Amino acid sequence: MGEAIADERSTTVEIKDLSFTYPGIDGHPPPGSAPLIDGFSLTLHAGNRCLLVGSNGAGKTTILKILGGKHMVGPEMVRVLGRSAFHDTALTSSGDLSYLGGEWRRDVAFAGFEVSIQMDVSAEKMIYGVTGVDPQRRDELIKVLDIDLSWRMHKSSDGQRRRVQICMGLLKPFKVLLLDEITVDLDVLARANLLKYLSKECEERGATIIYATHIFDGLENWPTHIVYVAHGKLQLALPLAKVKEMSNLSLMRTVESWLRKERDEDRKRRKERKLKGLEEFDRAVEGTRVIGDPAKSAVRVVNNGWAAGRLHSTVAGEENFTFSSNRVLRQ
């Protein structure tokens, strides 16, 4: 229903015919794999507050990570502030492009992946540890998020840790901000205060915000634009006013109707496949397999195919390398 969102202000985010598939460990998409994001195009401008909506697995997080420069794509496919999101590392290091998503986590060898960071350190030390920050902006964020600087991270609740994380992510004045379900742990008051602050950033400084969420409390009039994604493809990109013209329902009920229709169509499609004797779901392609020589040969060189934090080989079908550096664990 429209790939570009019309606006007279300067273009800040531009996605052109983006296609993306997560690569296997040989660095290439597994043979036969379908693109997770396919033919996606979108343009946003200074001052836009874009609400990114879609069902679980629609590709919202992947799109935000690509915009945040966390996945490599062609330099012309994704441009932020006129520069390549992946190739121009100064975008993120300068703070012009900021990505906030998920909890603070790290990988710990032989303990697991995505382990929450809950060290014994104060909120004050973490926040004041960020250098090159405007003291007035820092004080305002501490007040907006109602942060007690004496909080200890290993004793704080998930919501309190989240407030500190958000504060640190917003300390430098961003031009483009990417939010991936970042308010999930916040209470009603903290979330309302944050949304109000973010609106001010767009209105007064011309910042652009893309916010992916399933929580619609307080969002009825917050976004300026709505972008709906399904199965990695753009379904709709319109100003909020146009969306309201299309539906007499609230924003949440409108999005709910889109998702219900999408679910019903998926169920119908699966039923038709079953009647034809096909599998109800498409068979998933194993994304961690290394196919063919020289890819497999290359992986053998890197710790014989073993990855940190795992007790098994990451190379399919090669479970017992004789010379693995982890072989002592299997003796």
Side-chain angles (χ1 to χ4, degrees):
M1 294 187 184
E3 297 177 348
I5 295 174
D7 199 306
E8 296 180 354
R9 287 171 287 187
S10 60
T11 298
T12 52
V13 174
E14 190 172 16
I15 305 175
K16 293 181 179 178
D17 198 25
L18 171 65
S19 291
F20 177 80
T21 305
Y22 280 104
I25 59 175
D26 61 346
H28 299 282
S33 59
L36 181 61
I37 308 297
D38 189 20
F40 190 96
S41 298
L42 177 70
T43 302
L44 295 173
H45 300 84
N48 288 166
R49 297 187 300 277
C50 174
L51 193 63
L52 183 61
V53 301
S55 60
N56 295 138
K60 302 185 300 298
T61 293
T62 300
I63 291 169
L64 288 180
K65 286 186 174 180
I66 292 172
L67 281 169
K70 299 181 182 296
H71 296 305
M72 183 171 68
V73 295
E76 298 305 319
M77 279 187 174
V78 178
R79 310 287 290 182
V80 177
L81 302 175
R83 295 135 72 185
S84 170
F86 177 83
H87 298 86
D88 193 335
T89 56
L91 271 172
T92 52
S93 63
S94 66
D96 286 347
L97 173 60
S98 182
Y99 172 90
L100 283 174
E103 297 180 10
W104 282 326
R105 294 180 181 274
R106 59 179 175 173
D107 296 342
V108 180
F110 310 115
F113 295 95
E114 301 292 305
V115 177
S116 297
I117 296 178
Q118 299 178 359
M119 65 192 92
D120 183 8
V121 62
S122 69
E124 181 179 20
K125 188 169 184 178
M126 296 192 74
I127 293 171
Y128 279 78
V130 180
T131 59
V133 172
D134 177 9
Q136 186 175 349
R137 181 179 178 87
R138 180 176 57 207
D139 292 343
E140 183 180 8
L141 280 166
I142 291 172
K143 183 178 180 180
V144 166
L145 292 163
D146 196 19
I147 294 173
D148 183 342
L149 295 176
S150 67
W151 284 341
R152 309 297 296 188
M153 292 300 96
H154 70 303
K155 293 181 179 180
S156 301
S157 69
D158 291 340
Q160 290 170 335
R161 278 195 300 274
R162 180 75 76 177
R163 293 188 199 194
V164 176
Q165 177 191 8
I166 293 172
C167 179
M168 293 178 67
L170 302 181
L171 283 174
K172 293 185 178 179
F174 53 84
K175 293 180 180 178
V176 175
L177 175 64
L178 310 172
L179 300 174
D180 189 5
E181 203 65 271
I182 196 66
T183 63
V184 65
D185 296 316
L186 299 184
D187 60 37
V188 174
L189 185 58
R191 188 168 183 274
N193 289 342
L194 175 62
L195 291 174
K196 184 177 179 181
Y197 176 82
L198 294 176
S199 294
K200 187 184 74 167
E201 288 284 276
C202 293
E203 292 164 3
E204 295 184 0
R205 296 199 303 104
T208 301
I209 298 176
I210 305 177
Y211 178 26
T213 185
H214 296 287
I215 304 173
F216 289 86
D217 291 344
L219 288 181
E220 191 65 34
N221 296 303
W222 184 84
T224 60
H225 298 83
I226 306 292
V227 171
Y228 169 40
V229 183
H231 306 297
K233 295 183 178 181
L234 179 68
Q235 306 296 315
L236 175 148
L238 288 174
L240 179 63
K242 291 286 184 67
V243 174
K244 287 186 173 183
E245 287 178 9
M246 293 166 50
S247 173
N248 294 323
L249 303 173
S250 66
L251 178 59
M252 187 188 77
R253 294 302 181 191
T254 298
V255 175
E256 180 185 347
S257 68
W258 296 342
L259 299 186
R260 285 191 182 279
K261 182 180 179 182
E262 176 190 332
R263 184 201 61 183
D264 292 342
E265 290 174 350
D266 287 344
R267 286 179 174 176
K268 182 180 178 182
R269 192 177 302 113
R270 295 201 303 269
K271 186 176 180 180
E272 290 173 351
R273 286 176 58 89
K274 199 171 181 180
L275 290 173
K276 293 178 181 178
L278 301 173
E279 293 186 16
E280 187 176 353
F281 294 92
D282 292 327
R283 186 182 294 275
V285 176
E286 176 55 66
T288 60
R289 289 186 182 274
V290 175
I291 305 297
D293 299 314
K296 180 172 283 191
S297 301
V299 173
R300 286 177 183 272
V301 178
V302 185
N303 198 20
N304 294 318
W306 291 70
R310 300 188 185 184
L311 295 177
H312 57 83
S313 171
T314 56
V315 181
E318 299 287 351
E319 305 297 340
N320 294 298
F321 283 120
T322 305
F323 300 108
S324 170
S325 60
N326 290 332
R327 70 184 186 280
V328 66
L329 297 172
R330 296 181 283 112
Q331 289 179 345

mmCIF file of all heavy atoms in Angstrom, residues 18-54:
data_model
loop_
_atom_site.group_PDB
_atom_site.id
_atom_site.type_symbol
_atom_site.label_atom_id
_atom_site.label_comp_id
_atom_site.label_asym_id
_atom_site.label_seq_id
_atom_site.Cartn_x
_atom_site.Cartn_y
_atom_site.Cartn_z
ATOM 1 N N LEU A 18 15.210 -4.870 -0.077
ATOM 2 C CA LEU A 18 16.056 -5.660 0.816
ATOM 3 C C LEU A 18 15.625 -7.126 0.810
ATOM 4 O O LEU A 18 14.455 -7.450 1.008
ATOM 5 C CB LEU A 18 15.959 -5.107 2.243
ATOM 6 C CG LEU A 18 16.605 -5.940 3.351
ATOM 7 C CD1 LEU A 18 18.125 -6.006 3.160
ATOM 8 C CD2 LEU A 18 16.268 -5.361 4.722
ATOM 9 N N SER A 19 16.588 -8.018 0.576
ATOM 10 C CA SER A 19 16.389 -9.455 0.736
ATOM 11 C C SER A 19 17.497 -9.960 1.641
ATOM 12 O O SER A 19 18.656 -9.558 1.491
ATOM 13 C CB SER A 19 16.435 -10.176 -0.613
ATOM 14 O OG SER A 19 15.303 -9.827 -1.398
ATOM 15 N N PHE A 20 17.133 -10.831 2.580
ATOM 16 C CA PHE A 20 18.125 -11.280 3.546
ATOM 17 C C PHE A 20 17.800 -12.696 4.021
ATOM 18 O O PHE A 20 16.643 -13.029 4.278
ATOM 19 C CB PHE A 20 18.148 -10.334 4.764
ATOM 20 C CG PHE A 20 19.105 -10.760 5.852
ATOM 21 C CD1 PHE A 20 20.460 -10.504 5.744
ATOM 22 C CD2 PHE A 20 18.640 -11.425 6.976
ATOM 23 C CE1 PHE A 20 21.345 -10.901 6.735
ATOM 24 C CE2 PHE A 20 19.510 -11.818 7.979
ATOM 25 C CZ PHE A 20 20.867 -11.548 7.859
ATOM 26 N N THR A 21 18.838 -13.520 4.121
ATOM 27 C CA THR A 21 18.735 -14.866 4.670
ATOM 28 C C THR A 21 19.891 -15.062 5.633
ATOM 29 O O THR A 21 21.035 -14.706 5.318
ATOM 30 C CB THR A 21 18.832 -15.930 3.554
ATOM 31 O OG1 THR A 21 17.845 -15.659 2.566
ATOM 32 C CG2 THR A 21 18.604 -17.322 4.116
ATOM 33 N N TYR A 22 19.619 -15.600 6.812
ATOM 34 C CA TYR A 22 20.702 -15.861 7.756
ATOM 35 C C TYR A 22 21.654 -16.888 7.159
ATOM 36 O O TYR A 22 21.216 -17.934 6.678
ATOM 37 C CB TYR A 22 20.152 -16.374 9.084
ATOM 38 C CG TYR A 22 19.626 -15.272 9.969
ATOM 39 C CD1 TYR A 22 18.257 -15.055 10.111
ATOM 40 C CD2 TYR A 22 20.500 -14.433 10.657
ATOM 41 C CE1 TYR A 22 17.774 -14.039 10.913
ATOM 42 C CE2 TYR A 22 20.029 -13.408 11.458
ATOM 43 C CZ TYR A 22 18.663 -13.216 11.586
ATOM 44 O OH TYR A 22 18.193 -12.207 12.365
ATOM 45 N N PRO A 23 22.957 -16.615 7.182
ATOM 46 C CA PRO A 23 23.916 -17.539 6.569
ATOM 47 C C PRO A 23 24.206 -18.730 7.471
ATOM 48 O O PRO A 23 23.975 -18.685 8.678
ATOM 49 C CB PRO A 23 25.164 -16.670 6.400
ATOM 50 C CG PRO A 23 25.076 -15.685 7.533
ATOM 51 C CD PRO A 23 23.602 -15.400 7.696
ATOM 52 N N GLY A 24 24.709 -19.796 6.859
ATOM 53 C CA GLY A 24 25.243 -20.914 7.630
ATOM 54 C C GLY A 24 26.630 -20.553 8.127
ATOM 55 O O GLY A 24 27.109 -19.433 7.908
ATOM 56 N N ILE A 25 27.333 -21.493 8.766
ATOM 57 C CA ILE A 25 28.637 -21.145 9.338
ATOM 58 C C ILE A 25 29.728 -21.039 8.291
ATOM 59 O O ILE A 25 30.865 -20.691 8.613
ATOM 60 C CB ILE A 25 29.064 -22.143 10.442
ATOM 61 C CG1 ILE A 25 29.125 -23.553 9.866
ATOM 62 C CG2 ILE A 25 28.123 -22.076 11.620
ATOM 63 C CD1 ILE A 25 29.646 -24.565 10.867
ATOM 64 N N ASP A 26 29.372 -21.322 7.027
ATOM 65 C CA ASP A 26 30.333 -21.073 5.960
ATOM 66 C C ASP A 26 30.174 -19.670 5.391
ATOM 67 O O ASP A 26 30.862 -19.275 4.465
ATOM 68 C CB ASP A 26 30.174 -22.109 4.844
ATOM 69 C CG ASP A 26 28.787 -22.068 4.212
ATOM 70 O OD1 ASP A 26 27.896 -21.439 4.814
ATOM 71 O OD2 ASP A 26 28.602 -22.656 3.137
ATOM 72 N N GLY A 27 29.228 -18.902 5.977
ATOM 73 C CA GLY A 27 29.045 -17.519 5.556
ATOM 74 C C GLY A 27 28.074 -17.336 4.413
ATOM 75 O O GLY A 27 27.838 -16.202 3.974
ATOM 76 N N HIS A 28 27.497 -18.420 3.909
ATOM 77 C CA HIS A 28 26.558 -18.333 2.791
ATOM 78 C C HIS A 28 25.210 -18.910 3.193
ATOM 79 O O HIS A 28 25.139 -19.822 4.018
ATOM 80 C CB HIS A 28 27.100 -19.090 1.578
ATOM 81 C CG HIS A 28 28.409 -18.558 1.074
ATOM 82 N ND1 HIS A 28 28.506 -17.418 0.317
ATOM 83 C CD2 HIS A 28 29.686 -19.011 1.249
ATOM 84 C CE1 HIS A 28 29.783 -17.194 0.024
ATOM 85 N NE2 HIS A 28 30.515 -18.137 0.576
ATOM 86 N N PRO A 29 24.115 -18.405 2.608
ATOM 87 C CA PRO A 29 22.804 -18.981 2.907
ATOM 88 C C PRO A 29 22.763 -20.456 2.541
ATOM 89 O O PRO A 29 23.290 -20.845 1.498
ATOM 90 C CB PRO A 29 21.850 -18.168 2.007
ATOM 91 C CG PRO A 29 22.577 -16.896 1.736
ATOM 92 C CD PRO A 29 24.031 -17.255 1.689
ATOM 93 N N PRO A 30 22.185 -21.304 3.387
ATOM 94 C CA PRO A 30 22.088 -22.728 3.075
ATOM 95 C C PRO A 30 21.324 -22.941 1.772
ATOM 96 O O PRO A 30 20.327 -22.250 1.522
ATOM 97 C CB PRO A 30 21.312 -23.307 4.263
ATOM 98 C CG PRO A 30 21.522 -22.318 5.363
ATOM 99 C CD PRO A 30 21.607 -20.990 4.697
ATOM 100 N N PRO A 31 21.772 -23.861 0.923
ATOM 101 C CA PRO A 31 21.072 -24.122 -0.344
ATOM 102 C C PRO A 31 19.614 -24.482 -0.103
ATOM 103 O O PRO A 31 19.286 -25.272 0.779
ATOM 104 C CB PRO A 31 21.851 -25.313 -0.923
ATOM 105 C CG PRO A 31 23.216 -25.209 -0.310
ATOM 106 C CD PRO A 31 22.986 -24.678 1.074
ATOM 107 N N GLY A 32 18.731 -23.877 -0.864
ATOM 108 C CA GLY A 32 17.312 -24.166 -0.744
ATOM 109 C C GLY A 32 16.572 -23.328 0.271
ATOM 110 O O GLY A 32 15.350 -23.446 0.408
ATOM 111 N N SER A 33 17.286 -22.476 0.988
ATOM 112 C CA SER A 33 16.631 -21.662 2.016
ATOM 113 C C SER A 33 15.913 -20.477 1.376
ATOM 114 O O SER A 33 16.401 -19.863 0.437
ATOM 115 C CB SER A 33 17.655 -21.161 3.035
ATOM 116 O OG SER A 33 18.651 -20.379 2.400
ATOM 117 N N ALA A 34 14.731 -20.176 1.899
ATOM 118 C CA ALA A 34 13.961 -19.028 1.405
ATOM 119 C C ALA A 34 14.384 -17.774 2.166
ATOM 120 O O ALA A 34 14.737 -17.847 3.345
ATOM 121 C CB ALA A 34 12.474 -19.283 1.608
ATOM 122 N N PRO A 35 14.366 -16.605 1.520
ATOM 123 C CA PRO A 35 14.748 -15.365 2.209
ATOM 124 C C PRO A 35 13.829 -15.088 3.402
ATOM 125 O O PRO A 35 12.616 -15.244 3.301
ATOM 126 C CB PRO A 35 14.578 -14.291 1.131
ATOM 127 C CG PRO A 35 14.642 -15.027 -0.157
ATOM 128 C CD PRO A 35 14.043 -16.370 0.106
ATOM 129 N N LEU A 36 14.426 -14.695 4.505
ATOM 130 C CA LEU A 36 13.630 -14.324 5.671
ATOM 131 C C LEU A 36 12.989 -12.952 5.451
ATOM 132 O O LEU A 36 11.847 -12.712 5.834
ATOM 133 C CB LEU A 36 14.514 -14.301 6.922
ATOM 134 C CG LEU A 36 13.826 -13.954 8.232
ATOM 135 C CD1 LEU A 36 12.744 -14.981 8.543
ATOM 136 C CD2 LEU A 36 14.836 -13.894 9.372
ATOM 137 N N ILE A 37 13.743 -12.040 4.839
ATOM 138 C CA ILE A 37 13.229 -10.740 4.420
ATOM 139 C C ILE A 37 13.302 -10.711 2.900
ATOM 140 O O ILE A 37 14.345 -11.030 2.330
ATOM 141 C CB ILE A 37 14.063 -9.579 5.009
ATOM 142 C CG1 ILE A 37 14.206 -9.724 6.528
ATOM 143 C CG2 ILE A 37 13.447 -8.239 4.637
ATOM 144 C CD1 ILE A 37 12.915 -9.657 7.280
ATOM 145 N N ASP A 38 12.214 -10.342 2.248
ATOM 146 C CA ASP A 38 12.181 -10.456 0.792
ATOM 147 C C ASP A 38 11.537 -9.221 0.162
ATOM 148 O O ASP A 38 10.384 -8.882 0.455
ATOM 149 C CB ASP A 38 11.393 -11.713 0.400
ATOM 150 C CG ASP A 38 11.509 -12.023 -1.085
ATOM 151 O OD1 ASP A 38 12.452 -11.530 -1.721
ATOM 152 O OD2 ASP A 38 10.652 -12.759 -1.597
ATOM 153 N N GLY A 39 12.297 -8.525 -0.686
ATOM 154 C CA GLY A 39 11.771 -7.393 -1.438
ATOM 155 C C GLY A 39 11.216 -6.284 -0.576
ATOM 156 O O GLY A 39 10.206 -5.661 -0.923
ATOM 157 N N PHE A 40 11.887 -5.993 0.534
ATOM 158 C CA PHE A 40 11.380 -5.014 1.500
ATOM 159 C C PHE A 40 11.928 -3.627 1.171
ATOM 160 O O PHE A 40 13.135 -3.432 1.074
ATOM 161 C CB PHE A 40 11.811 -5.422 2.911
ATOM 162 C CG PHE A 40 11.157 -4.629 4.013
ATOM 163 C CD1 PHE A 40 10.029 -5.107 4.649
ATOM 164 C CD2 PHE A 40 11.665 -3.395 4.414
ATOM 165 C CE1 PHE A 40 9.419 -4.386 5.668
ATOM 166 C CE2 PHE A 40 11.069 -2.673 5.422
ATOM 167 C CZ PHE A 40 9.939 -3.168 6.057
ATOM 168 N N SER A 41 11.036 -2.655 1.004
ATOM 169 C CA SER A 41 11.441 -1.270 0.723
ATOM 170 C C SER A 41 10.669 -0.317 1.623
ATOM 171 O O SER A 41 9.461 -0.495 1.844
ATOM 172 C CB SER A 41 11.174 -0.913 -0.745
ATOM 173 O OG SER A 41 11.936 -1.728 -1.613
ATOM 174 N N LEU A 42 11.363 0.680 2.138
ATOM 175 C CA LEU A 42 10.738 1.629 3.061
ATOM 176 C C LEU A 42 11.569 2.900 3.142
ATOM 177 O O LEU A 42 12.799 2.840 3.110
ATOM 178 C CB LEU A 42 10.619 0.997 4.455
ATOM 179 C CG LEU A 42 10.036 1.878 5.569
ATOM 180 C CD1 LEU A 42 8.553 2.115 5.332
ATOM 181 C CD2 LEU A 42 10.252 1.219 6.929
ATOM 182 N N THR A 43 10.907 4.035 3.238
ATOM 183 C CA THR A 43 11.598 5.313 3.408
ATOM 184 C C THR A 43 10.966 6.078 4.565
ATOM 185 O O THR A 43 9.740 6.194 4.643
ATOM 186 C CB THR A 43 11.511 6.173 2.126
ATOM 187 O OG1 THR A 43 12.065 5.442 1.031
ATOM 188 C CG2 THR A 43 12.283 7.473 2.299
ATOM 189 N N LEU A 44 11.815 6.567 5.474
ATOM 190 C CA LEU A 44 11.354 7.373 6.597
ATOM 191 C C LEU A 44 12.112 8.692 6.621
ATOM 192 O O LEU A 44 13.215 8.800 6.069
ATOM 193 C CB LEU A 44 11.568 6.625 7.923
ATOM 194 C CG LEU A 44 10.764 5.335 8.119
ATOM 195 C CD1 LEU A 44 11.206 4.625 9.386
ATOM 196 C CD2 LEU A 44 9.270 5.631 8.160
ATOM 197 N N HIS A 45 11.511 9.681 7.295
ATOM 198 C CA HIS A 45 12.085 11.017 7.299
ATOM 199 C C HIS A 45 12.273 11.538 8.718
ATOM 200 O O HIS A 45 11.756 10.962 9.676
ATOM 201 C CB HIS A 45 11.188 11.977 6.499
ATOM 202 C CG HIS A 45 11.008 11.569 5.075
ATOM 203 N ND1 HIS A 45 10.057 10.649 4.693
ATOM 204 C CD2 HIS A 45 11.659 11.939 3.939
ATOM 205 C CE1 HIS A 45 10.119 10.467 3.379
ATOM 206 N NE2 HIS A 45 11.080 11.240 2.903
ATOM 207 N N ALA A 46 13.005 12.629 8.811
ATOM 208 C CA ALA A 46 13.275 13.253 10.106
ATOM 209 C C ALA A 46 11.968 13.585 10.813
ATOM 210 O O ALA A 46 11.037 14.122 10.213
ATOM 211 C CB ALA A 46 14.105 14.515 9.908
ATOM 212 N N GLY A 47 11.886 13.234 12.090
ATOM 213 C CA GLY A 47 10.697 13.511 12.883
ATOM 214 C C GLY A 47 9.683 12.388 12.910
ATOM 215 O O GLY A 47 8.753 12.417 13.720
ATOM 216 N N ASN A 48 9.843 11.373 12.033
ATOM 217 C CA ASN A 48 8.901 10.249 12.006
ATOM 218 C C ASN A 48 9.049 9.366 13.234
ATOM 219 O O ASN A 48 10.160 9.067 13.681
ATOM 220 C CB ASN A 48 9.112 9.393 10.756
ATOM 221 C CG ASN A 48 8.647 10.054 9.476
ATOM 222 O OD1 ASN A 48 8.970 9.615 8.385
ATOM 223 N ND2 ASN A 48 7.871 11.132 9.591
ATOM 224 N N ARG A 49 7.905 8.959 13.784
ATOM 225 C CA ARG A 49 7.868 7.934 14.839
ATOM 226 C C ARG A 49 7.113 6.750 14.246
ATOM 227 O O ARG A 49 5.891 6.788 14.114
ATOM 228 C CB ARG A 49 7.165 8.453 16.095
ATOM 229 C CG ARG A 49 7.866 9.609 16.754
ATOM 230 C CD ARG A 49 7.233 9.974 18.088
ATOM 231 N NE ARG A 49 5.839 10.363 17.971
ATOM 232 C CZ ARG A 49 5.421 11.589 17.642
ATOM 233 N NH1 ARG A 49 6.307 12.535 17.398
ATOM 234 N NH2 ARG A 49 4.132 11.858 17.565
ATOM 235 N N CYS A 50 7.849 5.730 13.870
ATOM 236 C CA CYS A 50 7.290 4.616 13.122
ATOM 237 C C CYS A 50 7.057 3.425 14.047
ATOM 238 O O CYS A 50 7.975 2.964 14.730
ATOM 239 C CB CYS A 50 8.243 4.226 11.994
ATOM 240 S SG CYS A 50 7.741 2.753 11.091
ATOM 241 N N LEU A 51 5.834 2.925 14.056
ATOM 242 C CA LEU A 51 5.493 1.731 14.821
ATOM 243 C C LEU A 51 5.569 0.537 13.882
ATOM 244 O O LEU A 51 4.842 0.464 12.890
ATOM 245 C CB LEU A 51 4.089 1.870 15.411
ATOM 246 C CG LEU A 51 3.702 0.852 16.487
ATOM 247 C CD1 LEU A 51 4.595 1.003 17.708
ATOM 248 C CD2 LEU A 51 2.246 1.026 16.877
ATOM 249 N N LEU A 52 6.469 -0.403 14.184
ATOM 250 C CA LEU A 52 6.673 -1.594 13.358
ATOM 251 C C LEU A 52 5.900 -2.753 13.982
ATOM 252 O O LEU A 52 6.190 -3.160 15.106
ATOM 253 C CB LEU A 52 8.166 -1.916 13.288
ATOM 254 C CG LEU A 52 8.601 -3.092 12.413
ATOM 255 C CD1 LEU A 52 8.230 -2.863 10.964
ATOM 256 C CD2 LEU A 52 10.106 -3.318 12.550
ATOM 257 N N VAL A 53 4.904 -3.262 13.268
ATOM 258 C CA VAL A 53 4.035 -4.292 13.821
ATOM 259 C C VAL A 53 4.046 -5.534 12.936
ATOM 260 O O VAL A 53 4.326 -5.473 11.741
ATOM 261 C CB VAL A 53 2.587 -3.785 13.999
ATOM 262 C CG1 VAL A 53 2.545 -2.582 14.920
ATOM 263 C CG2 VAL A 53 1.952 -3.438 12.643
ATOM 264 N N GLY A 54 3.702 -6.666 13.553
ATOM 265 C CA GLY A 54 3.650 -7.935 12.841
ATOM 266 C C GLY A 54 3.630 -9.067 13.844
ATOM 267 O O GLY A 54 3.922 -8.877 15.030
#
